[in-house]
Amino acid sequence: MSEVVLDEKVQRWERHYALTPERLALAQRIIEAVQAGEDVAQAIRRHPLPEGGHLAKSVLVAAYRHLVQQGQLNEDAALLAKLRMKPVRTLSGVTTVTVLTKPYPCPGKCIFCPTDVRMPKSYLPDEPGAQRALQNEFDPYRQVRSRLLSYQANGHPTDKIELLILGGTWSAYRRDYQEWFVKRCLDALNEVDSEDLREAQQRNETAPHRNVGLVIETRPDEINPDELRWLRYLGVTKVQMGVQSLDDRILALNQRGHTVAETLRAAALLRAAGFKIVMHWMPNLLGATPESDRADFARLWVDFCPDEIKIYPTQLLENTELYAYWQRGDYEPYSTETLIDLIADIKPTVPEFCRINRVVRDIPSTYVVAGNRRTSLRQDVLAELARRGQQCRCIRCREVRDRPVALEHLTFSDLIYRAAYAEEHFLHYVTPDDRLAGYLRLSFPLPEAPQLPFTDLEGAALIREVHVYGQSLPVGAEQHGAAQHIGLGTRLLQAAEALARERGYRRLAVIAAIGTRQYYEQRGFARGDYYMVRELA
C-alpha cells in the first residue's frame, strides 16, 4: 500500500473520529440519555450528526473521558461499559492483540492455501487483521501500538494483553527475526525500547500493558524438543497448529506434508511442556465428505484433546491449486446449508474442556469462487441448534461474560480426561445457571510422556492455564459482581496444589506468561529456567 493512500486513510479516520466542540456537545446529550436509562444504540440514532450519519462509539468514549477529566461527570465504570464498542472483545478476561509476520516462504505446499505475494502464506490482504498488518508494513511495533490505540479509543482496558502472532509457519522464519519480532511487540507494550529480548521481558513484568499470553502458529512437523525450548525462551505459552485432518489419506490428497502420527507426537510434546494447544480443523477438504468429516471430528477427542479449536471450512479461492481441481470437476465445495447441518451436528459433541474459537475464516465473500460465502456461520449454526433444541457446552458458549458473579454461589468441579501420555484435570467454577466463571488446566504426565530438556519439569505436575472469565478489568481494579479479582485464580491454584500433593508430586510448575510472573511469585512460586515452580515438600 503506497504512503499516499495510507496517509489519505489516516486523514479520513482522523476526520471521522475527531472530538470537535460540536461533537462533544452532541455526545454529552447522548451520554445523558444513556444515564437516564435509554439504550445506547437508540440514543445514538436519536441524535444524528448535522451532516448525516451518527457518532462513533469511540467518540462517545472520548467524550466520556473528557467530561470526567473536566469534572463535569463522575467516573462510572457501568456507564463506560455501556458506551464501549464491541465489549465481547474483552469479555473473555483479556484483551487480544493480533499481529502478522512479514511475507516469507512456507514449507507447506497445501493445495487449498491462497498465495498472495503481499502477504504471509494463507492470508489475504482484505482480512481485517491482515489489512492492519499491511497498512503498518508488517512492523510489529506499529501493529501493536495501532491496535492498543484502537482499543483505548473504544473504551477497552489494555493492561492485560494476549498477543497473537500469526502469518504462515512461525517456525520457518529465521530465529533472529523471531526474536526481534517478539522484542518489538514487547517494546510497544512497554512503551519504551529495550536493548534485547531479556530486557524487554523484564520490563514487561511491570509494564502498562502486560503480556499475559503469547501465541504463535506453526505446523505439527515443526514441533520437537529443541523448538519447544526456543519457544519458552521467547515467552510463548500457547501454540496453534494447522492439523486440518486426522486422516492420512486426506492429508496426502491435499499435500499437507505431515502425517496424523506427527500431529499426535506434536500434541504430546506440547502438552508435556505445558503449552496450551489450539488445533485448526478443516471440513470439506479434497476427498472428504460430510460423513467422513463427522468421523474425522470425533477423532479429535481421542488422545489429541485440544484445549481450543478453530473450525475452518475449506473455502474455494481462485489463487489456489484446489481451484484447478474444481475446474476439472474433481472437487465440489459444500453448500452453506450442508455446512450448517454438519457443524450443528458436531458442535454439541465438543467436550466442556475445549473452546471453539472460530467456525469460519473471516475471508471476504468476493474472494470465494463457489460454496459458502457467509462469514456469520457461527450465528447460523447457533440458530440451527436452537431450532433443534440443542446447545453446545464448549467453553466459549458457557463463559460468564458480563453476568454478575457471587463467589458463595459458585460450584467447584474437576473434569478428568485422558490425552496422549497425560491425565488432565479441568478444574473449574460454575454459576447456578451453568456459566463458567474460571478454570485451571492441571496436567499429570504419565510414565510414557515424552522426555523434555527442562529441569524445571522434573517430578512436576503442570499447570498449563489459569483463566478467569468476565469483562477484562485493569490490574488491581474491582467491579461489583465481576468474576475477575474475587480470588478465583488463587482458589484454583490451591485446588491444583492439593491434587498434586495427593498424587505424590514433589513440585508444581506453571507455564507463566511474562506479565503474570509476579502474580505467581505472590502465590509462592519461584522462577526456574523456563517455568515458575513451587516445591511441594
Side-chain angles (χ1 to χ4, degrees):
M1 182 174 291
S2 71
E3 291 186 11
V4 173
V5 173
L6 186 56
D7 286 344
E8 288 176 354
K9 292 189 74 167
V10 171
Q11 288 169 11
R12 284 200 302 273
W13 188 92
E14 289 175 345
R15 286 196 299 271
H16 184 68
Y17 293 102
L19 187 63
T20 63
E22 296 78 13
R23 290 186 177 191
L24 177 60
L26 184 61
Q28 189 167 3
R29 290 200 293 274
I30 293 172
I31 291 171
E32 288 170 354
V34 174
Q35 284 181 303
E38 189 172 351
D39 175 75
V40 65
Q42 183 180 339
I44 291 171
R45 286 195 298 271
R46 203 164 56 77
H47 295 84
L49 291 163
E51 66 271 21
H54 298 88
L55 279 183
K57 278 195 171 183
S58 60
V59 178
L60 290 182
V61 171
Y64 163 85
R65 287 176 171 157
H66 174 81
L67 293 169
V68 169
Q69 189 176 28
Q70 295 299 312
Q72 297 175 256
L73 188 67
N74 292 327
E75 196 160 352
D76 185 340
L79 174 61
L80 179 59
K82 292 178 182 178
L83 303 177
R84 182 182 291 127
M85 183 178 177
K86 297 181 179 178
V88 70
R89 292 193 183 277
T90 50
L91 280 178
S92 289
V94 297
T95 303
T96 299
V97 171
T98 301
V99 294
L100 262 71
T101 48
K102 67 181 180 181
Y104 196 75
C106 175
K109 308 296 179 186
C110 315
I111 65 172
F112 50 79
C113 212
T115 301
D116 187 308
V117 294
R118 298 168 293 175
M119 304 301 299
K121 186 73 170 176
S122 88
Y123 286 88
L124 295 167
D126 292 339
E127 294 178 83
Q131 193 173 57
R132 285 193 298 269
L134 189 61
Q135 290 171 358
N136 287 290
E137 298 174 312
F138 301 98
D139 181 273
Y141 186 95
R142 287 167 53 189
Q143 289 183 71
V144 172
R145 291 304 304 163
S146 65
R147 197 69 183 117
L148 289 177
L149 291 172
S150 175
Y151 275 127
Q152 290 168 336
N154 288 301
H156 292 281
T158 58
D159 66 331
K160 290 182 286 186
I161 300 295
E162 182 178 56
L163 187 65
L164 268 69
I165 302 178
L166 306 180
T169 300
W170 172 259
S171 305
Y173 287 80
R174 288 174 44 145
R175 285 190 171 180
D176 57 350
Y177 174 78
Q178 294 179 34
E179 186 168 356
W180 169 83
F181 196 96
V182 173
K183 174 192 170 296
R184 290 302 288 159
C185 287
L186 294 177
D187 285 344
L189 296 178
N190 298 340
E191 298 182 352
V192 62
D193 291 350
S194 295
E195 287 294 322
D196 54 30
L197 177 63
R198 288 291 193 192
E199 183 183 325
Q201 290 174 335
Q202 191 171 26
R203 287 181 185 275
N204 191 253
E205 293 182 20
T206 55
H209 316 285
R210 297 181 197 175
N211 175 233
V212 298
L214 180 54
V215 192
I216 58 94
E217 61 176 356
T218 191
R219 294 165 52 90
D221 50 328
E222 296 284 347
I223 297 297
N224 56 59
D226 180 63
E227 181 70 7
L228 297 183
R229 180 159 46 188
W230 172 250
L231 294 179
R232 284 307 299 136
Y233 165 75
L234 295 176
V236 174
T237 56
K238 183 189 294 186
V239 174
Q240 298 194 46
M241 286 195 300
V243 170
Q244 323 310 15
S245 174
L246 297 177
D247 183 325
D248 280 328
R249 181 184 69 87
I250 299 294
L251 291 174
L253 278 174
N254 290 270
Q255 299 179 32
R256 179 63 189 156
H258 65 80
T259 64
V260 176
E262 287 174 301
T263 298
L264 182 58
R265 179 177 181 271
L269 282 166
L270 288 166
R271 193 179 304 277
F275 289 90
K276 278 77 74 180
I277 303 168
V278 187
M279 291 187 177
H280 300 179
W281 180 78
M282 294 182 67
N284 199 193
L285 288 167
L286 177 66
T289 66
E291 292 70 30
S292 72
D293 281 333
R294 288 179 177 88
D296 196 62
F297 191 78
R299 297 184 191 110
L300 282 169
W301 316 114
V302 180
D303 286 336
F304 298 91
C305 300
D307 305 309
E308 302 172 12
I309 58 170
K310 291 183 176 181
I311 300 173
Y312 283 154
T314 308
Q315 292 176 285
L316 183 62
L317 310 174
E318 192 170 351
N319 58 344
T320 64
E321 195 176 332
L322 185 61
Y323 179 70
Y325 285 82
W326 176 73
Q327 286 183 310
R328 295 194 300 266
D330 295 331
Y331 175 76
E332 187 63 36
Y334 299 164
S335 66
T336 299
E337 293 71 24
T338 299
L339 268 179
I340 292 173
D341 189 55
L342 168 63
I343 298 173
D345 283 348
I346 63 178
K347 204 171 188 293
T349 70
V350 175
E352 294 179 18
F353 61 76
C354 182
R355 188 180 197 271
I356 304 176
N357 294 341
R358 301 288 294 272
V359 296
V360 68
R361 277 278 297 270
D362 199 8
I363 291 177
S365 59
T366 51
Y367 282 91
V368 181
V369 176
N372 174 65
R373 289 184 170 86
R374 290 178 64 82
T375 56
S376 61
L377 209 60
R378 184 191 289 273
Q379 289 74 24
D380 299 330
V381 170
L382 291 176
E384 172 61 18
L385 287 175
R387 188 191 68 79
R388 298 180 183 185
Q390 296 179 303
Q391 60 182 1
C392 174
R393 292 182 58 76
C394 85
I395 289 174
R396 190 181 191 276
C397 289
R398 297 175 64 220
E399 293 169 6
V400 71
R401 302 212 167 190
D402 58 350
R403 294 172 179 83
V405 172
L407 185 60
E408 64 272 19
H409 294 154
L410 296 178
T411 302
F412 175 79
S413 294
D414 179 7
L415 173 62
I416 306 172
Y417 60 98
R418 286 287 291 268
Y421 317 124
E423 178 186 299
E424 293 286 326
H425 289 252
F426 184 69
L427 311 180
H428 57 289
Y429 281 98
V430 293
T431 63
D433 60 345
D434 196 37
R435 293 288 172 175
L436 191 62
Y439 66 81
L440 181 150
R441 299 186 189 276
L442 176 65
S443 188
F444 293 151
L446 298 177
E448 59 269 32
Q451 296 300 304
L452 295 172
F454 299 118
T455 56
D456 298 339
L457 302 184
E458 292 176 3
L462 281 86
I463 294 175
R464 299 192 299 113
E465 182 178 19
V466 180
H467 200 127
V468 176
Y469 279 100
Q471 176 63 53
S472 178
L473 299 175
V475 171
E478 294 183 1
Q479 183 173 310
H480 181 69
Q484 292 207 349
H485 303 294
I486 60 172
L488 286 190
T490 300
R491 287 169 180 256
L492 287 164
L493 287 170
Q494 290 169 346
E497 181 179 341
L499 275 172
R501 285 182 185 277
E502 184 182 306
R503 294 293 292 271
Y505 285 91
R506 56 186 176 86
R507 58 171 52 172
L508 188 59
V510 60
I511 184 166
I514 297 156
T516 64
R517 289 171 177 170
Q518 292 193 351
Y519 171 87
Y520 289 109
E521 278 187 325
Q522 292 164 5
R523 285 152 182 82
F525 287 81
R527 297 174 190 237
D529 294 327
Y530 294 96
Y531 298 81
M532 303 289 290
V533 179
R534 179 169 179 145
E535 301 296 334
L536 301 180

